[in-house]
Each structure stands twice: as C-alpha cells, then as structure tokens.
Amino acid sequence: MIRIFRFSEVAPEDVFARVSPTAQVDGAVSDIIADVRTRGDRALFDLTERFDRVKLDSLRVTEEEISEAKASVEPEFLAVLARAARNIRKFHERQVRNSFILNDEDGIVIGQKVIPLDRAGLYVPGGTAAYPSTVLMDAIPAKIAGVREIVMVTPPGRDGKVNPAILAAACEAGVDRIFKVGGAQAVAALAYGTESIPRVDKIVGPGNAYVAEAKRQVFGQVAIDMIAGPSEILVLADGKSNPRILAADLLSQAEHDKNASAVLVTDSMELAEAVRDELERQIPLLERAGIARASVDGNGKIIVAETLTEAIEVSNRIAPEHLELMVDNPFDYLDKIRHAGSVFMGRSCPEALGDYFAGPNHTLPTGGTARFSSPLSVDDFVKKTQYTYYTEEALSKVADDVAFFARKEGLTGHAKSALSRREEKK
C-alpha cells in the first residue's frame, strides 16, 4: 500500500526512488561491445540467438516485411498513428533553428550555420515493451531537422519478426533502414558499424539497463540523447481533485516498471487518504498489476503539504520527468515551475496524452536531470558551425587588441600571428 507522509517527513531528495539504470551490468556490456567491434555481423547473429532465442538469416527488415506488417495492423491504429504524427510534426516544426549572418561592421562577416546530422540511430525496445510511440517521438524530430538517414534497431520476437505496430510507426515516421537487433549489441553496432549496419552520428531512444549502459560506454564515439532511468510522475493536486482520476494518473507511470516512481503532493489529507483507497481498488484491474503493485508499494508516496506553493518549491528541487498540475488555474503556477521534463496543465490533461498524441516529445530527462537538460527535440539532430571573415583593413584595426589579449595569457605565438599580416605590409 502506498505510504502517506506529512510534508516535513520526507526530504526532497528522497521523494523519488532514483536507481542507477546501469548498476552491475557494465562489465557484461563492455564484453558485448568488444565482441561486436571485433566480429561485426557474426557477433550480432550469435548474440541475437543467445539473448532473443531466435536464429536469423538476415538482420535487415525487408520492404516485404514492412508491407506485411502494415497490412496486419488494424486500420484504426494506422489512422491514430497518422493523427499523432501530425500533432508531433506540428509541435516540432516550431523548434527549427535558422542559420544567421552578421555583417553590420565594415569588412567583417560572422555567422553560424545549422547543419543536420548525416545519420541518426534510433533504438526501439521490443517484446513486452514495444512502443510504437517512441518511433514517432524520436524519428519525426530527426526528419524535421533534415537528418539524411535514420537507422532503426529493434529486437526481433521468437518468430524472427519485428512487432508490426513498430514497423507501421516507422513507415509513418519515415525511418530509412530497420534492423532486427536489440540490446547492448545493437547500440554497439550503431556506434561502430558492422558489415550490415552503418555507423551513426547519434543514438537516441530508451532501453533496459544494458542499453542504457551501452549508450554510456559508446558516448564520445557517437552522441547520445540521454541515459534514461525509470519513469517518474509527480502530481500536484488541490483538495478539489478527483481521487479516482489521480489514482489512474499515478498508475499510468507505475505500470511501466517496478522501479518507476509515482508521487502525489496535495494540500488535503482527506484527498490523500481517498487516493490511497482508490489505488488499492484500481491496481488489481490492470493487466500489469504485478508491476504496478511493486512500483506503488516500493516507490510510491503521497505527501501532504501546507500549500501548493510549498509543494512547487520541492518539485523544483526534485526536477521530475513528468509533472501534472491538477488545479483550476494551472497557468497561474506555470511561471513558478523551473525544473520539469514536461508539464501537464489542468484537470483534463493526463500524462498519457503526452505519451502518445498531443505533440510535445515524450523522451524526457529523468533522475533529476531536468535541472539542466531538456526533452528530445529538433535541436538534438543538428550541429552548428560558426565562421568568421575579416578584410585586411578590419583585421588591422583590431590586431593590437588581439595581441594584447594573447600576451595576457602568455601566448606570444598567438600575438605574433595576429600582428604578422600587418608587419608583412611594412
């Protein structure tokens, strides 16, 4: 049963049970990466047979397989995919950055070019955690950014096939190539390349502890989006909120993972007790009741604060992945929220809306990293190059300043470089 605490009884750092997603797997992951680097495709075939218990003839998903998958998915789901993709595109198109140029001083031109990555790698979990929504959320921003090629990896099922819903989402999002490989070995293949799988510039997408640790180990060889931990939700609710709805929202994250954290902060003890009772009623009704039970009993909390303003102060210290504001006038509080991955405003905005449909990205910073990092966006798939042009006359005017600065740092070679062109004219 979920525990209820008074505000003063829980330190902010203890509100979420934050667990290292990569604990105790670093050695095994290092061995897998080394194997893939050494043996390439052969290692991928062997590791897929070992971990996924399927013997493959080919790693790449064919066009025929994609067509069969789309045909096997109900038309209603394809229609929902299209509507969700439309919303995601609409939101992320507003994130596009433009190159700029400044030439407001005679003889000087400076600027910045925004350049899309050549190739992005998308990791998509399979099995019981097959999330076609992740395909849309990760691939569509890359496409909008102008990435030349998106390569997706996802583990096959026992039948050697990829979940049809994932393939349908990949088709909707414009993924270019898809490979049947998962786990740390898939991350290694994307980072270093094999005979079949091309090396990418950045790897995005969630996964288990092995995937997270593999991303950590290959960082530097490639870029990564983040190392995601267990899911988190913090719901701030006033005493007028509906306990049945609050319980349902908390369970929407608790069912992800036994290490997930679902926390309610309210200014009403009466509401706290009603939500506790609702959780006990609703948990047995879930298909993933065992996971939700472990999450709620192990990591769930209800915290009763004096005021919601006090609760928001603690929320900013926690920096939750998902934050729901279950109040009448949520925009009155928005400016007070400084650290949260994604904020869901008001009584008609469940976090699940953001997972699938609304448009803002659902790949979010966890583990308190919302203090300094952001949701996945178009920015994650571009890089910037800056450039500088000075005419001879423009350089001559500032060469003494550059040289003075260089000497201040003890770098006389820099100073001579700045002055040398002027000296050549003498």
Side-chain angles (χ1 to χ4, degrees):
M1 181 177 291
I2 199 166
R3 295 158 293 173
I4 298 177
F5 299 89
R6 290 286 184 182
F7 186 77
S8 59
E9 295 174 336
V10 184
E13 58 270 21
D14 296 329
V15 171
F16 284 147
R18 281 167 170 163
V19 191
S20 169
T22 64
Q24 301 179 336
V25 301
D26 55 336
V29 167
S30 180
D31 291 343
I32 290 170
I33 293 173
D35 190 20
V36 173
R37 293 188 68 182
T38 302
R39 297 196 299 130
D41 280 359
R42 188 68 263 160
L44 297 180
F45 282 117
D46 291 347
L47 291 165
T48 299
E49 186 172 1
R50 174 182 167 191
F51 293 123
D52 299 301
R53 299 182 183 179
V54 58
K55 190 175 181 67
L56 297 175
D57 296 322
S58 174
L59 295 171
R60 186 165 181 182
V61 175
T62 65
E63 291 297 327
E64 182 181 1
E65 288 176 294
I66 295 172
S67 297
E68 289 176 357
K70 284 191 68 177
S72 71
V73 174
E74 57 267 53
E76 294 84 358
F77 179 64
L78 295 178
V80 170
L81 273 180
R83 291 196 291 271
R86 179 193 63 204
N87 293 340
I88 295 165
R89 289 189 186 99
K90 181 179 179 180
F91 179 83
H92 289 82
E93 282 168 354
R94 297 299 299 270
Q95 297 176 339
V96 174
R97 293 177 182 265
N98 296 316
S99 300
F100 64 81
I101 184 170
L102 299 175
N103 57 355
D104 54 352
E105 294 186 50
D106 289 342
I108 300 174
V109 179
I110 56 177
Q112 178 176 276
K113 290 173 58 180
V114 178
I115 306 167
L117 302 182
D118 287 339
R119 185 180 288 129
L122 168 56
Y123 186 94
V124 179
T128 58
Y131 300 136
S133 58
T134 293
V135 182
L136 300 183
M137 293 290 183
D138 291 359
I140 288 175
K143 278 290 182 183
I144 292 171
V147 173
R148 292 182 181 178
E149 184 178 34
I150 300 174
V151 179
M152 189 175 95
V153 292
T154 187
R158 296 287 181 87
D159 58 359
K161 297 181 178 180
V162 173
N163 185 298
I166 286 178
L167 293 183
C171 189
E172 174 66 42
V175 172
D176 297 292
R177 285 196 268 179
I178 307 169
F179 295 92
K180 304 174 190 176
V181 59
Q185 60 270 26
V187 174
L190 291 173
Y192 294 99
T194 70
E195 297 89 337
S196 297
I197 301 177
R199 184 177 66 178
V200 304
D201 301 308
K202 186 165 189 171
I203 302 171
V204 303
N208 61 17
Y210 288 85
V211 171
E213 174 62 18
K215 288 169 69 176
R216 188 189 68 80
Q217 290 192 22
V218 302
F219 176 64
Q221 173 67 23
V222 293
I224 62 171
D225 52 351
M226 62 188 74
I227 299 175
S231 188
E232 308 165 351
I233 186 169
L234 182 68
V235 180
L236 298 185
D238 62 23
K240 296 187 290 183
S241 300
N242 186 321
R244 178 181 59 81
I245 292 173
L246 292 178
D249 286 1
L250 292 169
L251 291 175
S252 73
Q253 296 307 296
E255 71 173 355
H256 266 299
D257 183 340
K258 65 181 181 181
N259 290 321
S261 294
V263 175
L264 168 67
V265 181
T266 180
D267 56 357
S268 167
M269 178 60 78
E270 182 181 357
L271 180 68
E273 293 171 347
V275 172
R276 178 187 59 193
D277 295 342
E278 267 297 319
L279 286 168
E280 292 304 301
R281 186 185 70 80
Q282 292 185 29
I283 288 174
L285 305 178
L286 297 175
E287 290 186 12
R288 296 165 68 95
I291 293 173
R293 169 58 68 190
S295 169
V296 167
D297 290 355
N299 306 321
K301 296 178 181 68
I302 299 176
I303 300 170
V304 181
E306 292 295 325
T307 65
L308 289 182
T309 299
E310 183 179 58
I312 287 173
E313 292 174 5
V314 175
S315 174
N316 282 328
R317 291 173 64 181
I318 296 167
E321 178 188 17
H322 305 103
L323 173 62
E324 285 190 2
L325 294 179
M326 295 283 278
V327 294
D328 284 335
N329 299 300
F331 286 95
D332 291 347
Y333 297 88
L334 184 58
D335 285 346
K336 298 181 176 66
I337 304 298
R338 290 186 48 78
H339 305 304
S342 195
V343 184
F344 300 87
M345 310 281 288
R347 304 187 191 280
S348 300
C349 193
E351 186 279 331
L353 185 66
D355 275 345
Y356 301 109
F357 201 78
N361 211 283
H362 79 193
T363 301
L364 302 169
T366 62
T369 59
R371 291 182 297 109
F372 51 80
S373 57
S374 307
L376 191 77
S377 73
V378 171
D379 285 343
D380 283 282
F381 298 100
V382 299
K383 60 191 180 71
K384 305 171 187 73
T385 294
Q386 58 194 26
Y387 56 89
T388 304
Y389 170 80
Y390 272 58
T391 64
E392 182 180 334
E393 182 180 0
L395 173 62
S396 180
K397 290 178 180 178
V398 300
D400 288 330
D401 289 344
V402 175
F404 186 88
F405 211 141
R407 293 190 190 102
K408 198 68 176 175
E409 294 188 348
L411 299 173
T412 55
H414 283 63
K416 289 179 179 179
S417 173
L419 297 171
S420 62
R421 288 162 179 78
R422 189 168 65 190
E423 291 169 354
E424 280 292 313
K425 300 293 288 183
K426 293 179 179 178

Coordinates of all heavy atoms in Angstrom, one line a residue, residues 41 44-45 48 56-66 119 149-154 156 160-162 167 174-181 194-198:
D41 N 28.9 -8.4 -37.9 CA 27.6 -9.1 -38.1 C 27.5 -10.5 -37.4 O 26.5 -10.9 -36.8 CB 27.3 -9.3 -39.5 CG 26.7 -8.0 -40.2 OD1 26.6 -7.0 -39.5 OD2 26.5 -8.0 -41.4
L44 N 26.5 -10.2 -34.0 CA 25.1 -9.8 -33.8 C 24.2 -11.0 -34.0 O 23.2 -11.2 -33.3 CB 24.7 -8.7 -34.9 CG 25.5 -7.4 -34.7 CD1 25.0 -6.4 -35.8 CD2 25.2 -6.8 -33.4
F45 N 24.5 -11.9 -35.0 CA 23.7 -13.1 -35.2 C 23.8 -14.0 -33.9 O 22.8 -14.5 -33.4 CB 24.2 -13.9 -36.4 CG 23.7 -13.3 -37.7 CD1 24.6 -12.8 -38.6 CD2 22.4 -13.3 -38.0 CE1 24.2 -12.3 -39.8 CE2 21.9 -12.7 -39.2 CZ 22.9 -12.2 -40.1
T48 N 22.0 -12.4 -30.9 CA 20.6 -12.4 -31.0 C 20.0 -13.8 -30.7 O 19.0 -14.0 -30.1 CB 20.2 -12.0 -32.4 OG1 20.6 -10.6 -32.7 CG2 18.7 -12.0 -32.6
L56 N 18.5 -15.9 -36.9 CA 18.1 -15.1 -38.1 C 19.0 -15.4 -39.3 O 20.2 -15.8 -39.2 CB 18.3 -13.6 -37.8 CG 17.5 -13.0 -36.6 CD1 17.9 -11.5 -36.4 CD2 16.0 -13.1 -36.9
D57 N 18.4 -15.2 -40.5 CA 19.1 -15.4 -41.7 C 19.6 -14.0 -42.2 O 20.6 -13.9 -42.9 CB 18.2 -16.0 -42.8 CG 17.8 -17.4 -42.5 OD1 18.7 -18.1 -41.9 OD2 16.7 -17.7 -42.7
S58 N 18.9 -13.0 -41.8 CA 19.3 -11.6 -42.2 C 18.9 -10.6 -41.1 O 17.9 -10.8 -40.4 CB 18.6 -11.2 -43.5 OG 18.8 -9.9 -43.9
L59 N 19.7 -9.6 -41.0 CA 19.5 -8.6 -40.0 C 18.5 -7.5 -40.4 O 17.7 -7.0 -39.6 CB 20.8 -7.9 -39.5 CG 21.8 -8.8 -38.8 CD1 23.1 -8.0 -38.7 CD2 21.3 -9.3 -37.5
R60 N 18.5 -7.2 -41.7 CA 17.7 -6.1 -42.2 C 16.2 -6.5 -42.4 O 15.9 -7.6 -42.9 CB 18.3 -5.6 -43.5 CG 17.5 -4.3 -44.0 CD 18.3 -3.5 -45.0 NE 17.5 -2.3 -45.4 CZ 17.9 -1.5 -46.3 NH1 19.1 -1.6 -46.9 NH2 17.2 -0.4 -46.6
V61 N 15.3 -5.6 -42.0 CA 13.9 -5.8 -42.3 C 13.6 -5.4 -43.7 O 14.0 -4.3 -44.2 CB 13.1 -4.9 -41.3 CG1 11.6 -5.0 -41.7 CG2 13.3 -5.3 -39.9
T62 N 13.0 -6.3 -44.5 CA 12.8 -6.1 -45.9 C 11.5 -5.2 -46.1 O 10.7 -5.1 -45.2 CB 12.6 -7.4 -46.6 OG1 11.4 -8.0 -46.2 CG2 13.8 -8.3 -46.4
E63 N 11.4 -4.7 -47.3 CA 10.2 -3.9 -47.7 C 9.0 -4.8 -47.7 O 7.9 -4.4 -47.3 CB 10.4 -3.3 -49.1 CG 11.4 -2.2 -49.2 CD 11.0 -1.0 -48.3 OE1 9.8 -0.7 -48.2 OE2 12.0 -0.3 -47.8
E64 N 9.2 -6.1 -48.0 CA 8.0 -7.0 -48.0 C 7.5 -7.2 -46.5 O 6.3 -7.2 -46.3 CB 8.5 -8.4 -48.6 CG 7.4 -9.4 -48.6 CD 7.8 -10.7 -49.2 OE1 9.0 -10.8 -49.5 OE2 7.0 -11.6 -49.3
E65 N 8.5 -7.3 -45.6 CA 8.1 -7.4 -44.2 C 7.3 -6.2 -43.7 O 6.4 -6.3 -42.9 CB 9.3 -7.7 -43.3 CG 9.9 -9.1 -43.5 CD 11.2 -9.2 -42.7 OE1 12.2 -8.6 -43.0 OE2 11.2 -10.0 -41.7
I66 N 7.8 -5.0 -44.1 CA 7.1 -3.8 -43.7 C 5.7 -3.8 -44.3 O 4.7 -3.4 -43.6 CB 7.9 -2.6 -44.2 CG1 9.3 -2.5 -43.4 CG2 7.2 -1.3 -43.9 CD1 10.2 -1.5 -44.0
R119 N 23.6 11.0 -40.1 CA 22.8 9.8 -39.8 C 22.5 9.6 -38.3 O 23.4 9.8 -37.5 CB 23.7 8.6 -40.3 CG 23.0 7.2 -40.2 CD 23.9 6.1 -40.6 NE 24.1 6.1 -42.1 CZ 25.3 6.1 -42.7 NH1 26.4 6.1 -42.0 NH2 25.3 6.1 -44.0
E149 N 19.7 10.3 -43.0 CA 19.3 8.9 -42.9 C 19.0 8.5 -41.5 O 19.8 8.8 -40.6 CB 20.4 7.9 -43.5 CG 19.9 6.5 -43.5 CD 21.0 5.5 -44.1 OE1 22.2 5.8 -43.9 OE2 20.5 4.5 -44.7
I150 N 17.9 7.9 -41.2 CA 17.5 7.4 -39.9 C 17.6 5.8 -39.9 O 16.9 5.2 -40.7 CB 16.1 7.8 -39.5 CG1 16.1 9.4 -39.4 CG2 15.8 7.3 -38.1 CD1 14.7 9.9 -39.2
V151 N 18.4 5.3 -39.1 CA 18.6 3.8 -39.0 C 18.0 3.4 -37.7 O 18.4 3.8 -36.6 CB 20.1 3.4 -39.0 CG1 20.3 1.9 -38.9 CG2 20.7 4.0 -40.3
M152 N 17.0 2.4 -37.7 CA 16.4 1.9 -36.5 C 16.8 0.5 -36.2 O 16.9 -0.3 -37.1 CB 14.8 2.0 -36.7 CG 14.0 1.7 -35.5 SD 12.3 1.9 -35.8 CE 11.8 0.2 -36.1
V153 N 17.0 0.2 -34.9 CA 17.3 -1.1 -34.5 C 16.2 -1.5 -33.4 O 15.9 -0.7 -32.6 CB 18.7 -1.3 -33.9 CG1 19.8 -1.1 -35.0 CG2 19.0 -0.2 -32.8
T154 N 15.8 -2.7 -33.5 CA 14.8 -3.2 -32.5 C 14.9 -4.7 -32.5 O 15.1 -5.4 -33.5 CB 13.4 -2.7 -32.9 OG1 12.4 -3.0 -31.9 CG2 12.9 -3.3 -34.2
P156 N 14.1 -8.7 -32.5 CA 13.0 -9.5 -33.1 C 12.3 -10.3 -32.0 O 12.8 -10.6 -30.9 CB 13.8 -10.4 -34.0 CG 15.1 -10.6 -33.4 CD 15.4 -9.3 -32.7
G160 N 11.2 -14.3 -35.2 CA 12.2 -13.7 -36.1 C 11.6 -12.4 -36.8 O 12.3 -11.8 -37.6
K161 N 10.5 -11.9 -36.3 CA 9.8 -10.8 -36.9 C 9.8 -9.6 -35.9 O 9.9 -9.8 -34.7 CB 8.4 -11.1 -37.4 CG 8.4 -12.1 -38.5 CD 6.9 -12.4 -38.9 CE 6.9 -13.4 -40.0 NZ 5.5 -13.7 -40.5
V162 N 9.6 -8.4 -36.4 CA 9.5 -7.2 -35.6 C 8.0 -6.9 -35.4 O 7.2 -7.2 -36.3 CB 10.2 -6.0 -36.3 CG1 9.9 -4.7 -35.5 CG2 11.7 -6.3 -36.4
L167 N 6.8 -1.4 -36.9 CA 7.1 -1.2 -38.3 C 6.1 -0.2 -39.0 O 6.5 0.6 -39.8 CB 7.0 -2.5 -39.1 CG 8.1 -3.5 -38.7 CD1 8.0 -4.8 -39.5 CD2 9.5 -2.9 -38.8
G174 N 8.9 7.8 -41.4 CA 9.9 8.0 -42.4 C 11.3 7.4 -42.1 O 12.3 7.9 -42.6
V175 N 11.3 6.4 -41.3 CA 12.6 5.7 -41.0 C 13.1 5.1 -42.3 O 12.4 4.5 -43.1 CB 12.4 4.6 -39.9 CG1 13.7 3.8 -39.7 CG2 12.0 5.3 -38.6
D176 N 14.5 5.2 -42.5 CA 15.0 4.7 -43.8 C 15.4 3.3 -43.8 O 15.2 2.6 -44.8 CB 16.3 5.6 -44.1 CG 15.9 7.1 -44.3 OD1 15.2 7.4 -45.3 OD2 16.2 7.9 -43.4
R177 N 16.1 2.8 -42.7 CA 16.5 1.4 -42.7 C 16.2 0.8 -41.3 O 16.4 1.5 -40.3 CB 18.0 1.2 -43.0 CG 18.3 1.4 -44.4 CD 19.7 0.9 -44.7 NE 20.7 1.9 -44.6 CZ 22.0 1.7 -44.8 NH1 22.5 0.5 -45.1 NH2 22.9 2.7 -44.7
I178 N 15.8 -0.4 -41.2 CA 15.4 -1.1 -40.0 C 16.2 -2.4 -39.8 O 16.2 -3.2 -40.8 CB 13.9 -1.3 -39.9 CG1 13.1 0.0 -40.1 CG2 13.5 -1.9 -38.5 CD1 11.6 -0.2 -40.4
F179 N 16.7 -2.7 -38.7 CA 17.5 -3.9 -38.4 C 16.9 -4.6 -37.2 O 16.5 -4.0 -36.2 CB 18.9 -3.6 -38.2 CG 19.6 -3.1 -39.5 CD1 19.7 -1.7 -39.7 CD2 20.1 -3.9 -40.4 CE1 20.3 -1.2 -40.8 CE2 20.7 -3.4 -41.6 CZ 20.8 -2.0 -41.8
K180 N 16.9 -6.0 -37.3 CA 16.4 -6.8 -36.2 C 17.5 -7.2 -35.2 O 18.1 -8.3 -35.2 CB 15.9 -8.1 -36.8 CG 14.8 -8.0 -37.9 CD 14.5 -9.4 -38.4 CE 13.6 -9.3 -39.7 NZ 13.4 -10.6 -40.3
V181 N 17.8 -6.2 -34.4 CA 18.8 -6.5 -33.4 C 18.5 -5.5 -32.2 O 18.1 -4.4 -32.4 CB 20.2 -6.3 -33.9 CG1 20.4 -4.9 -34.5 CG2 21.3 -6.6 -32.9
T194 N 28.9 -2.2 -38.6 CA 29.2 -3.6 -38.9 C 29.1 -3.7 -40.5 O 28.8 -2.8 -41.1 CB 28.3 -4.6 -38.2 OG1 26.9 -4.5 -38.8 CG2 28.2 -4.4 -36.7
E195 N 29.2 -5.0 -40.9 CA 29.0 -5.2 -42.4 C 27.6 -4.7 -42.9 O 27.5 -4.3 -44.0 CB 29.3 -6.6 -42.7 CG 30.6 -7.1 -42.5 CD 30.8 -7.7 -41.0 OE1 30.0 -7.3 -40.2 OE2 31.7 -8.5 -40.8
S196 N 26.6 -4.9 -42.0 CA 25.2 -4.6 -42.4 C 24.7 -3.2 -41.9 O 24.0 -2.5 -42.6 CB 24.3 -5.7 -42.0 OG 24.6 -6.9 -42.6
I197 N 25.1 -2.9 -40.7 CA 24.6 -1.7 -40.0 C 25.6 -0.6 -40.1 O 26.7 -0.7 -39.7 CB 24.2 -2.1 -38.5 CG1 23.2 -3.2 -38.5 CG2 23.7 -0.8 -37.8 CD1 22.8 -3.6 -37.1
P198 N 25.1 0.5 -40.6 CA 26.1 1.7 -40.8 C 26.3 2.4 -39.4 O 25.4 2.4 -38.6 CB 25.4 2.6 -41.7 CG 23.9 2.3 -41.5 CD 23.8 0.9 -41.2

